[in-house]
Amino acid sequence: MGIEGIGARVARKEDKRFITGGGRYTDDMVVPGMKHAVFVRSPHAHADIKGIDVAAAKAMPGVIAALTGKELKADGVGNLICGWMIHSKDGTPMKMGAWSPLAVDRVRYVGDAVVIVIADTKAQARDAAEAVEVTYEELKAVTDVVSALKSDAPQLHPEADGNLIFDWEIGDSKATDEALAKAAHITKMHIINNRLVPNAMEPRATLGHYDKAEDHYTCWTTSQNPHVARLVMSAFYNIAPENKLRVIAPDVGGGFGSKIFIYPEEVVCLWASKKSGVPVKWVADRTESFLTDAHGRDHVSEVQMAFDKDNHIIGLKVDTIANLGAYMSLFSSSVPTYLYATLLSGQYNIPAIHANVRTVYTNTAPVDAYRGAGRPEATYLVERTMETAARELGVSPADLRRQNFVTQFPHQTPVIMAYDAGDYAASLDAAMKASDYAGFEERRAAAKKNGKLRGIGMSNYIEACGIAPSAAVGSLGAGVGLWESAEVRVNAVGTIEVLTGSHSHGQGHETTFAQLVNQRFGVPIDSVSIVHGDTDKVQMGMGTYGSRSGAVGMSAIVKALDKVESKAKKIAAHLMEADEGDIVIENGELKVAGTDKTVPWFQLALAAYTAHNLPAGMEPGLKETAFYDPSNFTFPAGCYICEVEIDPGTGVTEIIQFVAADDFGNIINPMIVEGQVHGGIAQGIGQAMLEGAYYDAESGQLITASYMDYTMPRADDLPSFQVSTSNTPCPGNPLGIKGCGEAGAIGSPPAVINAITDAIGNNDLLMPATPQRVWAAINAAKH
């Protein structure tokens, strides 16, 4: 390990520009003639549009245009789509309702876009938007996922009878029912996974620019995957052919999955730029973000976990209803199916599993991937059930888990996944030691003397990352391949540019990807530039989500580096009249092993481009491209232990300690990994104790549409985390990486709720575990 290579704790290169205000975000982009957009949005959760009058708005000062959905449709702009096909268990395809970027005849949630108003200033556009008159005929709304399936529920889309999108299953129903029938003990649970708002620091924004002279569109946008955005807007939304559309995702201030998708605003602003003849910029305000960003989670599940007389799990049966909101977002169908149900085996050897998943339309914001995307829902279900089972069986939660761990690899689960490597007991042991698990009862007794309730809970999570390989996900319904690309350009003076299809929006790619190059060639990381986020500069790539940038994105870089190294060694061998097999690269030089012959890296690069003395038949230059399609998912795993203390008089919960022991495979930069874990745990604690998106059942209004009502975690809500890793390298990629970006948000919620329920002696507790809910549960347990 060099001081800047793999494994080094290198400070993030990109942070200097961010903390000094040098970041360049979509809202910083300005082009000549640019105007500002405001969207008129539906104030109703469900209503027919009877008329739209934009005359008064158009007459107001500074107004350029006020455009409607009928005009958009007349110009042939397509509906938004879901890009992952799921079939119901009867073989019928999912029922995808029409989602026009601007509503035409009906609105289906509060915030549905109806009109775009464009003016010289944002203030003028906002004033004019208020002058638009939309006549609605309000309809009955439904926001609750269970109620939406009832026979008297309002129908959202004619395509989906009874609001059912699909009724899907995985696993062996017969074998699971047989396991339940012969079980010595069955733990049953009703599990609700609360709805969340992603709340990235930077709100969504877009700038659409149509260049009439070139007949070319440019879209600046807050995207995690600009190439996919270009593909979808070209192939499905009919904005422009790909060669006539450039998508740029500059610095992006957080995504957490919510910026994977193509939203109505990108499509409308591009279309409106051509229609109005001016570049059009839109930036969400925070309430718009609450209303219209894709939400996360919102599952209701029934669980049965069966044990034999020796406390081995013999079967798991799950029935889940998942809320997908008013429309199907881009990857929404994959989240409660192949990203959720395939992880229901957890870290455990369960011979029979069956899951049934129904997805449902409601008059709420669309629901899609949010940090973890399906994996947090699966982990919460499995780990709450395991903890409850241990209490019912009267055994240690740690011992019950250890007894049921998968210990032999590879391991084929009953729900598709084949775990390739892991040591779950090592993470459990590390977490128990770090938390002084054995000494907990003494701490509980001490807290009791002080009038406090103390509890401890654990969570042993596993996730599938990388979201690959392409052939496998294609067979499961994915509309795109999930490989990644890289190009490595060695310049004539030896500096290096890495063009990656991955996108960085907080992950630290400019640092970790440069560390990879430093490890290979000894080039200082300040001499390595990482280029991403621009479809005109970077070859097609699939973007960043699902903790895939390391395992998939960096593997593509490794393949390109292999090609560069091979050519560099050929040139060096020719220059030094040596055998290619004797060339080694050390400390920024190419050397002939066992001699004092060397060629500095910069000199080798210059030789490649002057081409004065190259091997016969070799092309000049030193630039290589690679595509990498993984052979399997990767499987990060770990054990989290949370310890809480509760004031029984108020229900206020304090997290006394939180321990995370993770297995991420090989690690490029431990400091960045620790930061990712810290952030993920903070979001998981937020879900467990503070955050929840709620709609009024009658009106369908989002009643948590600001930070006045939606509680985000703050510094004083969080303890100092104890994090460690005990790594088993992933055998499926060249770096042995598993991924770390989502683990904290996956493993932490059940650990927190298990700790709180342990403290209060009442297992009936919903997330978020607010003081009011905890207080009520404490008092319910007394009766």
Side-chain angles (χ1 to χ4, degrees), residues 314-556:
I314 57 173
L316 178 68
K317 192 174 187 69
V318 176
D319 184 84
T320 293
I321 306 174
N323 191 345
L324 294 192
Y327 304 102
M328 294 190 75
S329 180
L330 189 63
F331 289 125
S332 59
S333 58
S334 68
V335 175
T337 52
Y338 292 112
L339 298 182
Y340 161 70
T342 57
L343 275 301
L344 288 173
S345 191
Q347 297 185 6
Y348 311 112
N349 188 359
I350 306 177
I353 298 175
H354 180 261
N356 196 94
V357 178
R358 287 169 288 169
T359 56
V360 181
Y361 287 120
T362 64
N363 296 113
T364 63
V367 179
D368 209 315
Y370 170 65
R371 197 170 191 170
R375 283 71 55 87
E377 296 92 312
T379 296
Y380 187 74
L381 184 149
V382 171
E383 289 305 297
R384 285 287 289 122
T385 307
M386 282 295 287
E387 195 89 3
T388 301
R391 294 168 188 172
E392 292 176 353
L393 293 167
V395 298
S396 158
D399 290 344
L400 184 63
R401 288 175 166 88
R402 191 187 303 274
Q403 177 179 346
N404 285 282
F405 279 158
V406 171
T407 56
Q408 300 293 319
F409 297 91
H411 173 80
Q412 178 63 55
T413 74
V415 280
I416 294 180
M417 295 301 182
Y419 300 164
D420 52 10
D423 187 345
Y424 308 143
S427 295
L428 175 63
D429 291 340
M432 291 178 71
K433 181 178 179 181
S435 65
D436 185 22
Y437 195 84
F440 169 72
E441 290 302 331
E442 292 181 16
R443 299 193 294 278
R444 192 202 293 267
K448 187 176 182 180
K449 291 180 181 179
N450 294 324
K452 299 292 181 70
L453 303 175
R454 202 166 181 117
I456 197 166
M458 67 171 54
S459 167
N460 291 69
Y461 76 90
I462 190 167
E463 54 170 326
C465 295
I467 318 300
S470 295
V473 296
S475 70
L476 301 178
V480 293
L482 293 175
W483 41 265
E484 196 47 86
S485 67
E487 181 179 314
V488 176
R489 297 177 182 172
V490 181
N491 298 318
V493 293
T495 58
I496 297 175
E497 298 167 45
V498 177
L499 290 79
T500 174
S502 299
H503 186 275
S504 183
H505 40 276
Q507 292 85 354
H509 293 173
E510 293 176 38
T511 304
T512 52
F513 288 11
Q515 287 181 255
L516 193 60
V517 176
N518 169 269
Q519 180 78 17
R520 183 67 70 97
F521 298 138
V523 178
I525 63 171
D526 286 339
S527 295
V528 181
S529 297
I530 309 301
V531 182
H532 67 96
D534 187 335
T535 61
D536 270 15
K537 291 182 178 179
V538 178
Q539 69 289 335
M540 175 124 182
M542 300 314 297
T544 292
Y545 41 85
S547 304
R548 72 192 306 270
S549 294
V552 186
M554 293 183 83
S555 292

Side-chain angles (χ1 to χ4, degrees), residues 281-303:
K281 179 192 279 187
W282 168 80
V283 180
D285 62 34
R286 188 53 71 178
T287 295
E288 278 185 294
S289 295
F290 274 99
L291 289 172
T292 67
D293 287 4
H295 291 181
R297 318 288 193 258
D298 206 346
H299 284 197
V300 177
S301 298
E302 302 296 334
V303 191

Side-chain angles (χ1 to χ4, degrees), residues 178-244:
E178 289 173 352
L180 291 167
K182 67 181 181 182
H185 177 84
I186 299 175
T187 293
K188 298 180 180 181
M189 293 199 74
H190 176 70
I191 298 282
I192 296 177
N193 210 290
N194 46 325
R195 177 183 279 245
L196 303 171
V197 178
N199 278 310
M201 186 177 293
E202 178 199 19
R204 287 191 297 112
T206 188
L207 168 57
H209 181 203
Y210 174 68
D211 185 331
K212 184 176 181 180
E214 298 289 336
D215 187 28
H216 187 276
Y217 293 83
T218 302
C219 174
W220 288 264
T221 184
T222 48
S223 174
Q224 297 176 218
N225 48 356
H227 279 284
V228 174
R230 184 176 74 157
L231 171 65
V232 172
M233 286 194 287
S234 172
F236 298 100
Y237 304 160
N238 304 321
I239 292 296
E242 276 190 289
N243 64 313
K244 294 286 187 178

Side-chain angles (χ1 to χ4, degrees), residues 26 58 62 70 105 121 123 132 154 208 231 244 278 335 342 348 360 367 464 469 521 544 611 623 701-702:
T26 297
K58 286 182 174 180
K70 286 185 177 179
D105 300 314
T121 69
V132 173
L231 171 65
K244 294 286 187 178
V278 296
V335 175
T342 57
Y348 311 112
V360 181
V367 179
F521 298 138
T544 292
K623 179 182 80 169
Q701 296 291 328
L702 180 64

